[in-house]
Amino acid sequence: MRDMANSITIKHHYPLLGHNTFGLDVKAKQFVNYSTVDELVVLLAVLKESNERILHIGGGSNLLFTKDFEGTVLHSGIKFVEEVSRDDRHIFFRVGSGVVWDDFCAQMARDNYYGPENLSYIPGEVGASAIQNIGAYGVEVESIIHEVETIEVATGQPRVFQANECEYGYRDSIFKNRLQGDYIVTAVVYRLSMIPVVHLDYGQLQELRSHGGAPTAQEIRDAVIAIRQSKLPEPAELGSAGSFFKNPAVPVEVFRQIAASHTDVPHYVISEDEIKIPAAWLIDQCGWKGKTHGGAAVYEKQPLILVNKNHATPADIMELATLIEQSVLEKFNIRLSPEVNYI
Ligand code: EPU
């Protein structure tokens, strides 16, 4: 394929090392970066002609490449942050899918608009935030999404999804599920609050309550960044994809059996029938903290995170994940499911 415009870049046999935070040394047959919706539409038409396999990525912070990708990897370079409207409480920002998520968080915190501050410092880009329903410290991004602008892969037609059409759940959306691969997110409209709306229930954020008056968005952002830096590896220093597994929701009966022998089991009640148990605790109880498998390892400070300690191969990470799943299943009769997307 030739370059169609200056802002489209096309690379062949392209190393994906810089496009997956695990730092896995895999290649894509073709890698294309585009910068506008019009370019994306043209690209999709050309790729459809050649029946090409497509993978759209963001910051590659939630992906596990299991091998080289024999198709075209697309990446959005659509970058803008624009105010679209405001009322007496809210301000709406339309943001291009290729904007780095934390750059947006930083800008909003600087202007003291509330909404994304608890989600500060999450690696990745705006498009993926709306697909993955990123969440941290008591907030999920669905709570501030107003609408999601997309292009349908099959037709190149635009479609806007209202937040309530996105079927958001825990790390889940219609774009990961029912319509997986059918739509490409090109922009997200977020609804932020100009008056303080704060979420300080998470342990280490609670102390911000005692400051007298609502903390600023910047104060919350700073506290969140400090927590993340103390618990989570910096992708630039140690490859990982953040939490590798989801926190499992288990039937109350399963929880009771565990609590009978482990009175200290941490948990959150999510409904009458189900209780969520932190996967980090389950993995910790199985003795996995700091353990290695080939070049892969379980992060010492947070065992929910698998890291690329020493030139890990995709197989090292997949095998380690399977071993962890097996031991949690044997010890607790709970089946962990990955939070990262296997490609
Ligand atoms: N725990 C242990 N041992 C440890 C660490 C934690 O037993 O070494 C237990 C503790 O009981 C702790 C609990 O696990 O209270 C929860 O740990 P933490 O607060 O670190 O959060 P998490 O449930 O492991 C989730 C998200 C994170 C998010 C944090 C904070 C998922 C899969 N992960 O982790 O998201 O930052 O809460 O809200 O829901 C990500 O998705 O990549 C991610 C990092």
Side-chain angles (χ1 to χ4, degrees):
M1 201 190 294
R2 281 184 308 110
D3 283 23
M4 286 177 249
N6 288 339
S7 51
I8 296 184
T9 49
I10 300 173
K11 308 256 171 74
H12 300 278
H13 306 292
Y14 183 70
L16 294 168
L17 204 57
H19 293 276
N20 72 103
T21 55
F22 254 126
L24 294 175
D25 191 8
V26 287
K27 290 194 174 58
K29 193 179 85 188
Q30 181 164 257
F31 181 92
V32 185
N33 190 79
Y34 60 89
S35 304
T36 67
V37 174
D38 289 347
E39 289 171 0
L40 172 63
V41 171
V42 174
L43 272 169
L44 288 175
V46 173
L47 292 168
K48 192 175 170 189
E49 280 290 296
S50 54
N51 233 342
E52 182 75 355
R53 221 181 128 200
I54 295 174
L55 169 70
H56 200 292
I57 64 167
S61 53
N62 210 44
L63 299 179
L64 175 61
F65 282 104
T66 58
K67 51 182 181 299
D68 288 347
F69 186 74
E70 292 303 326
T72 296
V73 173
L74 291 177
H75 180 256
S76 166
I78 302 176
K79 287 178 192 268
F80 61 84
V81 179
E82 62 182 21
E83 179 185 334
V84 283
S85 63
R86 61 169 86 192
D87 56 31
D88 44 351
R89 272 186 100 116
H90 295 114
I91 180 162
F92 293 77
F93 283 94
R94 182 167 173 262
V95 188
S97 52
V99 170
V100 171
W101 167 255
D102 193 53
D103 290 350
F104 171 64
C105 294
Q107 185 182 334
M108 296 300 104
R110 243 184 343 255
D111 293 339
N112 207 27
Y113 298 138
Y114 291 82
E117 60 282 356
N118 289 44
L119 307 178
S120 289
Y121 218 58
I122 293 182
E125 295 169 3
V126 158
S129 77
I131 297 171
Q132 181 66 9
N133 192 17
I134 55 174
Y137 312 109
V139 174
E140 288 181 316
V141 77
E142 65 170 297
S143 66
I144 60 162
I145 287 181
H146 177 60
E147 56 190 27
V148 180
E149 298 177 18
T150 69
I151 292 292
E152 189 176 19
V153 173
T155 61
Q157 290 300 311
R159 174 170 169 191
V160 178
F161 289 77
Q162 299 305 309
N164 61 10
E165 294 176 286
C166 295
E167 298 179 7
Y168 282 124
Y170 169 53
R171 300 293 195 277
D172 198 21
S173 74
I174 198 168
F175 308 111
K176 281 186 76 179
N177 230 313
R178 208 152 59 74
L179 300 181
Q180 187 182 19
D182 293 353
Y183 290 86
I184 291 172
V185 175
T186 53
V188 181
V189 179
Y190 299 101
R191 181 190 54 251
L192 287 89
S193 176
M194 291 186 288
I195 56 172
V197 178
V198 300
H199 302 273
L200 303 176
D201 290 335
Y202 186 85
Q204 287 158 273
L205 289 180
Q206 285 180 17
E207 60 194 57
L208 284 173
R209 284 197 180 130
S210 56
H211 283 194
T216 62
Q218 186 67 53
E219 283 168 336
I220 299 173
R221 171 176 167 78
D222 291 345
V224 164
I225 291 176
I227 297 171
R228 291 190 76 93
Q229 286 178 334
S230 71
K231 286 194 179 180
L232 309 176
E234 292 278 342
E237 288 162 20
L238 185 61
S240 88
S243 302
F244 194 91
F245 300 102
K246 292 185 189 177
N247 285 329
V250 304
V252 173
E253 198 39 49
V254 173
F255 169 73
R256 286 213 188 101
Q257 278 162 16
I258 296 173
S261 50
H262 302 79
T263 46
D264 59 342
V265 53
H267 60 280
Y268 324 86
V269 176
I270 52 173
S271 73
E272 266 180 27
D273 313 315
E274 283 192 314
I275 295 202
K276 207 173 245 196
I277 301 180
W281 183 84
L282 297 167
I283 298 169
D284 206 354
Q285 293 293 311
C286 292
W288 278 105
K289 224 176 207 178
K291 290 271 162 55
T292 59
H293 178 82
V298 180
Y299 193 50
E300 289 94 347
K301 293 188 218 164
Q302 222 305 2
L304 188 51
I305 297 172
L306 304 191
V307 295
N308 179 354
K309 195 166 182 183
N310 187 14
H311 306 287
T313 61
D316 292 340
I317 295 172
M318 284 190 286
E319 284 164 16
L320 178 56
T322 304
L323 291 168
I324 292 171
E325 283 166 12
Q326 282 167 353
S327 64
V328 170
L329 185 62
E330 273 164 34
K331 191 171 167 76
F332 293 108
N333 198 22
I334 294 175
R335 205 172 284 279
L336 292 180
S337 57
E339 198 255 346
V340 301
N341 301 312
Y342 282 59
I343 306 295

